[in-house]
Structures are given as C-alpha cells and as structure tokens.
Amino acid sequence: MSTAVPAQASAAVLQPSEPISDSAISVQGPDLEKNLSLQDLLKSYERIGFQASSLGRAIDIVNRMRKWRLSDEPISVDESEDYIFPEIRAQTRCDIFLGYTSNLISSGLREIILYLVKHKHVAAIVTTAGGIEEDFIKCLGKTYLADFNMDGADLRSRGMNRIGNLVVPNDNYCKFEDWLLPILDTMLAEQQATGEVWSPSSFIRRLGKEINNEESIYYWAYKNDIPVFCPALTDGSLGDMIYFHSFRNPGLILDIVRDIRALNELSRKSKKAGMIILGGGVCKHQIANAMLIRNGADYSVYINTGQEFDGSDSGARPDEAVSWGKIRADAESVKVFADATLVFPLLVAATFARD
C-alpha cells in the first residue's frame, strides 16, 4: 500500500492563498474583559462581520453625512453667489432625508425619531399615513405590548387592533376622530375663505400645530419647520376620517402636486444629500425618486428585512438604485438587513445622540 499522499487530493485541499493586502481588515469581536463604553462596543461592530459590520458601516456613513460642510469642497466655476462666502459654506450642511414605515411609529422608535426632529437633525421626512396618525393617536391614548400569537377574532370582538406584538385599543381611533373632525371643518372653512387648497405636507403641519404636545414628532416638525411628506396620506385612519368628512361637510382638497414639487425641489437644491430609510414601500421609493432629480444621493443607509429575489423596490439593495440614478455611482451606501427596532437606536446612539 502506498504511503504517499495522492497529489491530486493534496493539491485540492492545500490550495495556496494569494498574498493578503496590507489594507485587509481582520475579523475581531469586542473584548468584554475590558470595561467597554457603549461607544466602544458599537465601534467594535465594524470588525464582527455579517450584519454587525453593515451596521458599523451605516454608523460611519451617517457620521460622514453629519460632518460634511460645503466648505469641504472647492468653489465650482458655476457656483451661485449665495454660496461663495466662507461663513456660508461653513454653515451649509448635508440635507438628510429620513423615511420610515408606519409600524415604527407604533413601536418605541417613535421616541428615537422624535429626538431627531426635535433637535433638527433631519431636513425632511417621508412616511405613510400610519406614520402620521399613530403619532397623534399616541398623544390621545397608549399602545400596549402584546404577543404575535394572539387570536385575531378574539381581539376583534374585544375592540383591540394588533400591530405585530403590539395592540391599540380601538377607542384610541374614536378619540382620534373626535379630535380630527373639527379640525377638518376649520381647514375646509379656511380653504373656502382664502381659495388656498391644502397639500398633504401643509395638512400634517397644521395637525402638528393643533396637537400642541411635545410628545408628538409632528409638533416638533411644525416648530422646527421640517417638512413632512406623505404621498399615501389617505391609506389609513386619516383616510377613514377624510372619507367620513366628505359626506358630512364635503369640499376639502389635498393637492399632491404641490408636495411632489416641494420634495423634488428640496432634493435638487441640496448641496449634499443623504438618505436614511427604515423599511420599504412608499417612503423608500419616494425619497429615492426625489434623489433622481439631483442625479442621485451622496449618502444612503437602508435598514430593512426585505429581500430582492421578488424584484420589489422594498427589498432592493442600494446598487439597484445606482442603476436608476437615484444613488450616485461614487456615493457611500449600505443596506443593513435587520429589524429597525433592533438597530436604529444603536445607530442614533453612535451618531446623532453624541452631540
């Protein structure tokens, strides 16, 4: 019997590696023997691998968005006179467009988003109808922790609405109707008196003023003059209320054309633009499509659990948006495949909350 290792097998198993680049980063997790701060722990994510490294990359990109100033760039030959003065260039920042789905406002991420709006960390918001109404509804009644496995028919008989492992008493929506309908009456009267119709964003701004509650995201958006866009404003309880109002006091008009112009112009005029998008659907694509107007975003962070095998925009990675001109080819971008409730508080803690 031969004692020599078969050459074919040896060559297959012991395939030599090419030299490792000096710039290669080795995998290493946090050293819990040390007394790590939260910031030290989050910094260690960059080298853990998998989605931890994606989160580390997202933190780095958001910090780059926050750090950028127009004064970092040379003055272009076609620069507007408004932007040639050093002090103006030093004050001109990257405009951050924040998008999120309605379920995140139902969750405790509402308070994280409120912090960003209260402290003027974002330039504009795009969300869905639920992302608007659930904020106001929480000012009128609480949402409660529950369980994903609760029986739907039983909940329906008890007047409880389930959102994942949360429940909202239906009475909260009744309170919302009682609060909203008189405001709709007033808004209609103002429209008839002035001839000025409402847009979804001006509608939301008015509600933020009317709620007059510091626990509301849209109160702070109103106070800080941060526009909130909601292309699908009627797709939820707000739509139900507008529907009911159209019978009892018809005539209220919401002009979506004004909003698409306002959002696209805000994008076009941004000297630098970044996207932070939590979830998918309307909020993701509306921001990305606005970025097309300026030949793409400069920075992009997606956080969602969507997959791309079905061709959905919700699941698409940033590189697909590059092909459409919605993210620039030289942009810094990442997608974190994760539930936003798990990772977005960590991202904010490592970026905006460090001020």
Side-chain angles (χ1 to χ4, degrees), residues 335-355:
K335 174 173 175 175
V336 184
F337 289 81
D339 173 359
T341 63
L342 285 172
V343 300
F344 193 56
L346 301 178
L347 185 148
V348 172
T351 55
F352 301 102
R354 297 189 69 177
D355 291 344

Side-chain angles (χ1 to χ4, degrees), residues 158-303:
R158 293 160 50 199
M160 296 290 178
N161 303 292
R162 183 170 68 85
I163 304 169
N165 63 346
L166 315 176
V167 292
V168 186
N170 205 59
D171 284 350
N172 290 9
Y173 295 94
C174 298
K175 294 174 184 176
F176 181 56
E177 179 181 13
D178 292 341
W179 175 75
L180 180 62
L181 288 180
I183 298 172
L184 296 182
D185 285 337
T186 301
M187 292 172 69
L188 174 58
E190 291 176 11
Q191 174 191 299
Q192 292 169 335
T194 66
E196 183 77 12
V197 301
W198 299 88
S199 66
S201 63
S202 66
F203 178 90
I204 295 161
R205 176 181 169 83
R206 179 58 174 269
L207 297 187
K209 178 182 178 181
E210 294 289 344
I211 198 68
N212 194 28
N213 186 325
E214 293 188 0
E215 295 180 0
S216 167
I217 293 169
Y218 306 113
Y219 166 80
W220 286 109
Y222 157 71
K223 290 281 286 186
N224 292 331
D225 200 24
I226 295 171
V228 180
F229 300 98
C230 185
L233 186 67
T234 57
D235 185 23
S237 182
L238 273 169
D240 297 341
M241 300 306 111
I242 292 170
Y243 166 71
F244 294 148
H245 188 263
S246 73
F247 287 97
R248 59 185 294 271
N249 196 3
L252 185 68
I253 297 172
L254 294 171
D255 179 8
I256 64 171
V257 176
R258 279 174 53 189
D259 270 7
I260 194 59
R261 176 166 176 156
L263 177 59
N264 286 356
E265 283 293 280
L266 183 58
S267 168
R268 184 179 68 84
K269 293 177 181 179
S270 295
K271 291 296 185 179
K272 211 78 163 178
M275 303 188 289
I276 301 175
I277 303 177
L278 314 177
V282 170
C283 69
K284 180 173 184 272
H285 187 260
Q286 187 74 86
I287 293 177
N289 202 65
M291 292 297 112
L292 175 61
I293 303 300
R294 64 183 307 277
N295 199 32
D298 300 289
Y299 305 98
S300 180
V301 172
Y302 295 168
I303 302 175

Side-chain angles (χ1 to χ4, degrees), residues 11-58:
V13 174
L14 304 177
Q15 168 74 26
S17 303
E18 64 180 24
I20 302 298
S21 167
D22 291 340
S23 62
I25 300 171
S26 63
V27 174
Q28 184 170 345
D31 183 357
L32 297 181
E33 296 291 346
K34 298 179 180 178
N35 185 22
L36 297 179
S37 68
L38 174 60
Q39 298 303 330
D40 291 335
L41 178 64
L42 292 174
K43 181 66 177 174
S44 76
Y45 274 44
E46 295 176 357
R47 294 179 63 183
I48 290 176
F50 306 139
Q51 294 311 302
S53 292
S54 294
L55 176 57
R57 175 68 175 146

Side-chain angles (χ1 to χ4, degrees), residues 117-158:
V117 177
K118 180 178 180 179
H119 294 281
K120 305 180 184 179
H121 289 305
V122 298
I125 291 170
V126 178
T127 188
T128 56
I132 303 301
E133 66 205 25
E134 290 295 325
D135 176 73
F136 295 125
I137 288 168
K138 278 187 168 183
C139 294
L140 306 172
K142 293 186 181 298
T143 296
Y144 298 91
L145 291 171
D147 191 276
F148 284 100
N149 297 313
M150 297 181 77
D151 180 77
D154 177 63
L155 289 172
R156 177 62 178 169
S157 70
R158 293 160 50 199

